[in-house]
Amino acid sequence: MGTIKIEDLHKSFGSNDVLKGIDLDFKSQGITAVLGPNSSGKTTLIKTILGMVIPDSGSIFINGSDIKKNWSYRKQIGYLPQIARFPENLKVSELLSMMKNLRDEKCDEDYWIDFFELQPFLNKRLANLSGGTRQKVNITQAFMFDSPILILDEPTAGLDPVSRIKFKEKLFEEKMKGKQILVTTHIMNLVEDIADDLIFILEGKIHYRGHPTHLKNSFHTKDFEKAIARMVSGSTGDKADHPDTLFCEKYKMTL
Amino acid sequence: MRKVMKYTVIDLLRSRWTYFYCGFFFILSGLLFLLSNDPSQVIITLMNVVLILVPLISTIFGVMYYYNSREFAELLLAQPIKRTDIFLGQYLGIACSLSFSIALGIGLPLLIFSSISDLSIGNYLMLIVTGIFLSLIFSAISFLTALLFENKLKGFGASIFIWLFFAIIYDALFLIALSFFSDYPLENFALFASIGNPIDLSRILIILKLDISALMGYTGALFSKLMGNFNGMLVAFSVLMAWIIIPLVGIVRVSLKKDF
């Protein structure tokens, strides 16, 4: 199982304060959707966990160990980037071998190649693949190491409906294996379908944390997108005694 | 680092631009060997092309590769590898494929023609070695410049300006300074000024090897006079090495601190 703990995380780019004291704790298995409008800080938060962005202050612990000046902790993370751009002249099989070679870990690539029916593309150059096939290769490289933590940026982008359904089922299976899965997406249906936990970041702070269904109940709507919109605009109904509000008060968050 | 380098080389060796670059040198060298009877003329012509074109192509390759592989670098940064290994591996991959193009592009015609006529291979080897040094230096400088500039256009502009500075502006400033201060002893200034430009230094290195005094020019003659041809070449090589190491240190330092 993978745990992530974030303590008082701050990051600014020049005069732009992007993260303003984020505290988060992911203890149990599950799928957490990290949402927020553009420039809210969600990408920076994800990149900080991955070590791509160096925080100004605060700490991140992966399975209990501090990630500062440490790179080996990333063995426990599988990352699916949003833009699947790989070296264009490499073949699919070479890319997968490269990732295997780089990580030097137990790997289950054949399963994922079968799962996405990638065999006909293994000897094709990545430049010649369609967007959807490239995304399947992208998912394969992220999932094939069986990492306890998965960070997925827009995982279903470019997938056809059949692959999307298969992939969602697979995500549930991975969750049941005890994995910690963080997903960022703009597709609200996906969040409703898969997320057990929702984190909404606004202006560099955690604005809401709770279950997607609780969020809808809090804002007296059955439409998840409307609930999000109401939360952002502040046009809320009566929610003072709602469990999510209590949750947020407990964790010093604003709702 | 070795692993990242290996796959960068595989990627670049399949790029049509690598073949185009290699092919250009192959055709140019082949034609010059075919059409000219004077080997030193061939080498001087090739030298002039190498001194301008190799830094330019290396600059473009370095900066383009960095920006084109930025998203892939982000994926690599999320893997359990050191940051410095990623960027040094990519740099070495670019430098290797550029060096390979030059070595093959000039070396192959040289091999063919040296077997059928009497050529001084040492001079040509010096040209190839200098070309490789220039590839290593300018791809390192451009890779560092690209790392420093998030904006692709600015990074590209700055890299091209650096090439322009060393290829043209530096010499112009050098000549202006020489004529302006012509009443003063300028040996030391000229020596240090030529060390400050890897293209000038490469030119001196080739000319010292050729030992053609008419082509040495002021700085070449100074190198020869003060240090002798062999020591002058040794110093020039050491400084060229420093020209590789300094941007590499920059790549390491910037990559450790940069947010991606």
Side-chain angles (χ1 to χ4, degrees), chain B residues 27-46 113-114 116-119 124:
Chain B
I27 292 167
L28 180 75
S29 314
L31 278 177
L32 285 171
F33 281 127
L34 264 179
L35 299 175
S36 174
N37 295 319
D38 183 358
S40 53
Q41 257 190 354
V42 173
I43 207 164
I44 296 298
T45 312
L46 268 176
F113 284 93
S114 65
I116 52 175
S117 66
D118 186 24
L119 286 175
Y124 288 95

Side-chain angles (χ1 to χ4, degrees), chain B residues 12 17-18 21-22 24-25 46-47 49-63 65 88 90-106 125-145 159 162-163 166 197-203 205-206 237 240-241 243-245 247-248 251:
Chain B
L12 281 172
W17 293 108
T18 307
Y21 185 47
C22 182
F24 170 78
F25 275 116
L46 268 176
M47 178 188 80
V49 176
V50 165
L51 290 178
I52 294 296
L53 209 65
V54 168
L56 175 65
I57 301 295
S58 304
T59 297
I60 294 171
F61 249 76
V63 82
Y65 191 85
L88 287 181
Q90 285 193 332
Y91 159 70
L92 287 173
I94 299 166
C96 273
S97 63
L98 285 168
S99 305
F100 169 81
S101 295
I102 291 172
L104 206 69
I106 302 177
L125 285 181
M126 177 59 80
L127 186 71
I128 293 173
V129 169
T130 313
I132 290 173
F133 263 100
L134 284 174
S135 305
L136 295 173
I137 293 167
F138 279 88
S139 53
I141 293 174
S142 64
F143 204 77
L144 173 63
T145 313
S159 299
I162 291 170
W163 167 78
F166 284 128
N197 183 350
I199 297 180
D200 275 351
L201 208 57
S202 304
R203 183 182 292 121
L205 198 58
I206 298 169
F237 263 128
L240 282 179
M241 278 303 290
W243 266 106
I244 299 171
I245 293 165
L248 283 187
I251 290 173

Side-chain angles (χ1 to χ4, degrees), chain A residues 169-182:
Chain A
E169 287 167 1
K170 202 69 213 154
L171 262 186
F172 279 115
E173 277 179 38
E174 295 295 310
K175 180 180 89 171
M176 296 318 289
K177 283 187 197 168
K179 294 191 180 182
Q180 188 67 255
I181 304 170
L182 300 191

Side-chain angles (χ1 to χ4, degrees), chain B residues 70-98:
Chain B
R70 198 155 48 176
E71 285 89 8
F72 185 62
E74 285 188 10
L75 176 62
L76 291 180
L77 283 162
Q79 308 305 319
I81 330 168
K82 286 183 201 161
R83 279 180 169 215
T84 47
D85 284 355
I86 296 170
F87 294 104
L88 287 181
Q90 285 193 332
Y91 159 70
L92 287 173
I94 299 166
C96 273
S97 63
L98 285 168

